[in-house]
Amino acid sequence: MRHSLASSIAAGCAAVLALPVSLAAPAAAEVPQTLQPPPSLSALPPAPDLSGATQSLPLEPLTGDSDRSLGGGADGTDAQGLTRLDVQPFSLVGVVWDDPAAALHGTVQVRTRSAADGTWSPWQDVETHNDDHGADPDTAEGAGRALKGSTAPLWVGDSDGVEIRVQGEEPLPEGLRLELVDPGEDPAEAAPDPEPEGTPVVAPAISPVSRTAVAALVQAGLGAAEAAVSAVNAQLAPYGAAWIPALSKEATEFTVPYAPYAQPAAEFKEPAEELAVLPAEAAPAPAAAKPYIGPRPKIITRKGWGADERIREKGFVYTKSIKAAFVHHSATGNNYTCAQAPSVLRSIYRYHVLSSGWRDFGYNFAVDKCGNIYEGRAGGVAKPVLGAHTLGFNTNSMGIAVLGTFSKTTPPAAAVTAVARLTAWKLGLHGVNPKGTSYLVSGGGNLYAKGKTVRFNAIAGHRDGFATECPGARLYGKLGTARVSSAKYQGRS
């Protein structure tokens, strides 16, 4: 549907999908001499409308002929759905209901009509168990009035027709609705070409984020919320950047004294006009003589994948530190191309915020099948942003979603490598050994009672903290490889 962002992303995909996990550091990118707004800022065009759309359709009881035609039984079990409908274009589906504490015990299946050729897909299963994701129970987000129960979202590609059946093993939750998400258009600016070999590494000149600089972004055409998101990454890339460049290990180590992750466990509130300013009291952490930290990978920013900053809640929420990384699969299916990954992200983002009632995209980072890394929840990629990914263990952790479903499908080596590179850098900022273990305190869940201290691998799977199939058996089986590779990226033996 939307192909502009990923023209360069897709170029190398065919080559990387078959590659083994590599420990070769990426080519070093030049660090900007200054990270203040570029001189041409005033010439930036107004931000395009990338908002997309969501259709929300109430499900209807299936009885008699409609029940039998959709595969429902005549045994009195609860069944709801919709017969074939012509609808506005969409690319992702999910089902939500009124009570977030209610579970959907049963099956959800959809089939969709291709907008390209009019053919109907076979029935596809939608993952019904999604309550293991989300904010911790006692947080403001976890107790939000807008929260709804929800299935996992499913990416179906460009579609304009839909049919759904929901068969309950017990009474279905009240208020079932089918959510059809159109991700909107890709941003005009494409991802960058790879940096040429031998690009010089220049030590960064770290500049504080000023209110005046962010105001200039707003005047130049960026929305206030978009300017705030850009500002919290301004020590890593120019304002309004579509990506954060990769650094060599040497250059990454140089930046450690200036790493903007030292923040108190509190909510970072944007000022009234939504301009984000770094707290003046956040003093830089002292530099270690030889920090164990991996080279910073290239990260496509929220602007790069086209996040509509108007739909998330204002402000950013932080935790104290990052002690562990939880790896997930998005359970959205594997029928996407790397060129479509930004559209998948925008769809999940809309589903999390507008359909499920979360404050923002749930995961801190995402990785596609070609190994591209994306900024997830807003607040700064180097900061300890509080996510909504591992119910009960979001505090002092980060969540990485590999786009796809890996219960029976082996994840591409490029994706596993990307997880290793990302964790080598981000865990390294907090002095964590990827092959080590960390202790987290449960906020409540179905495996560990609230208040229980639990020991995790520093790179753990979602199922380690909650009784869930996530991140899929095949991806879970690759986490040992990711731990070893991540430690080597950090320079550990």
Side-chain angles (χ1 to χ4, degrees):
M1 178 185 281
R2 330 289 189 212
H3 301 293
S4 58
L5 169 65
S7 56
S8 62
I9 295 178
C13 288
V16 301
L17 283 174
L19 292 177
V21 174
S22 169
L23 295 178
E30 182 176 358
V31 182
Q33 293 276 6
T34 177
L35 298 180
Q36 294 294 335
S40 60
L41 181 62
S42 60
L44 287 174
D49 184 0
L50 307 173
S51 56
T54 301
Q55 303 168 71
S56 186
L57 308 176
L59 300 191
E60 302 171 352
L62 295 177
T63 58
D65 292 340
S66 64
D67 192 359
R68 289 190 289 274
S69 68
L70 291 177
D75 57 0
T77 55
D78 206 359
Q80 294 186 35
L82 294 170
T83 55
R84 292 189 178 189
L85 286 176
D86 296 333
V87 293
Q88 294 299 311
F90 68 96
S91 295
L92 179 140
V93 304
V95 173
V96 301
W97 53 91
D98 295 340
D99 184 359
L104 195 166
H105 295 290
T107 59
V108 176
Q109 294 182 309
V110 297
R111 54 183 173 188
T112 55
R113 184 179 62 202
S114 169
D117 58 19
T119 59
W120 284 86
S121 72
W123 286 106
Q124 300 185 74
D125 291 324
V126 178
E127 174 58 57
T128 60
H129 301 295
N130 197 44
D131 57 346
D132 48 346
H133 297 80
D136 290 346
D138 289 342
T139 63
E141 182 178 6
R145 294 182 180 179
L147 288 179
K148 292 185 177 295
S150 61
T151 67
L154 178 68
W155 175 261
V156 294
D158 296 355
S159 304
D160 58 11
V162 67
E163 187 171 17
I164 180 171
R165 59 191 185 193
V166 180
Q167 188 72 43
E169 297 170 355
E170 56 186 55
L172 293 170
E174 296 290 332
L176 289 175
R177 303 184 72 89
L178 173 64
E179 303 289 291
L180 305 176
V181 181
D182 173 9
E185 297 292 337
D186 277 333
E189 185 172 5
D193 293 326
E195 296 289 340
E197 293 291 337
T199 300
V201 175
V202 180
I206 304 299
S207 301
V209 178
S210 71
R211 187 183 187 86
T212 302
V214 181
L217 284 169
V218 176
Q219 294 173 358
L222 294 181
E226 186 178 355
V229 167
S230 180
V232 288
N233 284 324
Q235 290 177 301
L236 309 179
Y239 291 99
W243 72 93
I244 294 168
L247 295 181
S248 68
K249 192 173 190 304
E250 177 187 12
T252 302
E253 291 172 353
F254 182 89
T255 68
V256 169
Y258 309 100
Y261 62 82
Q263 297 245 4
E267 182 170 355
F268 178 71
K269 293 184 179 294
E270 297 164 14
E273 57 268 46
E274 277 210 69
L275 304 182
V277 182
L278 290 180
E281 66 272 15
K290 286 200 170 197
Y292 285 112
I293 181 171
R296 188 180 75 202
K298 187 181 86 176
I299 302 171
I300 298 169
T301 63
R302 289 170 64 93
K303 179 177 175 60
W305 56 263
D308 181 357
E309 301 299 347
R310 297 170 298 181
I311 69 173
R312 65 171 176 85
E313 287 189 18
K314 296 179 181 179
F316 314 120
V317 182
Y318 298 100
T319 185
K320 289 182 179 179
S321 182
I322 300 297
K323 298 180 179 180
F326 286 101
V327 178
H328 305 253
H329 66 177
S330 62
T332 47
N334 302 313
N335 296 322
Y336 74 94
T337 66
C338 293
Q340 293 174 320
S343 294
V344 176
L345 289 172
R346 291 196 304 279
S347 298
I348 296 173
Y349 174 44
R350 286 188 67 87
Y351 186 73
H352 281 178
V353 176
L354 299 182
S355 298
S356 304
W358 299 3
R359 76 183 318 273
D360 193 357
F361 189 84
Y363 308 103
N364 299 102
F365 296 93
V367 171
D368 69 23
K369 62 174 68 175
C370 290
N372 298 297
I373 301 170
Y374 302 86
E375 177 183 18
R377 178 162 288 207
V381 297
K383 299 175 183 290
V385 178
L386 181 67
H389 48 83
T390 306
L391 187 70
F393 292 103
N394 291 303
T395 299
N396 293 334
S397 72
M398 70 176 189
I400 304 169
V402 181
L403 299 181
T405 303
F406 301 106
S407 303
K408 298 179 181 178
T409 301
T410 300
V416 179
T417 298
V419 170
R421 291 175 55 209
L422 174 59
T423 52
W425 172 68
K426 187 64 181 279
L427 292 178
L429 288 176
H430 297 269
V432 177
N433 182 347
K435 292 196 298 183
T437 58
S438 297
Y439 290 90
L440 299 176
V441 178
S442 174
N446 64 1
L447 272 185
Y448 301 105
K450 181 180 178 180
K452 182 175 178 59
T453 299
V454 184
R455 182 181 181 184
F456 290 102
N457 286 314
I459 300 177
H462 186 185
R463 63 173 61 181
D464 294 323
F466 200 96
T468 175
E469 200 272 337
C470 184
R474 296 294 182 88
L475 179 54
Y476 188 78
K478 294 292 184 180
L479 296 187
T481 299
R483 293 181 194 110
V484 172
S485 299
S486 182
K488 288 183 178 178
Y489 277 125
Q490 286 189 349
R492 300 177 188 269
S493 56

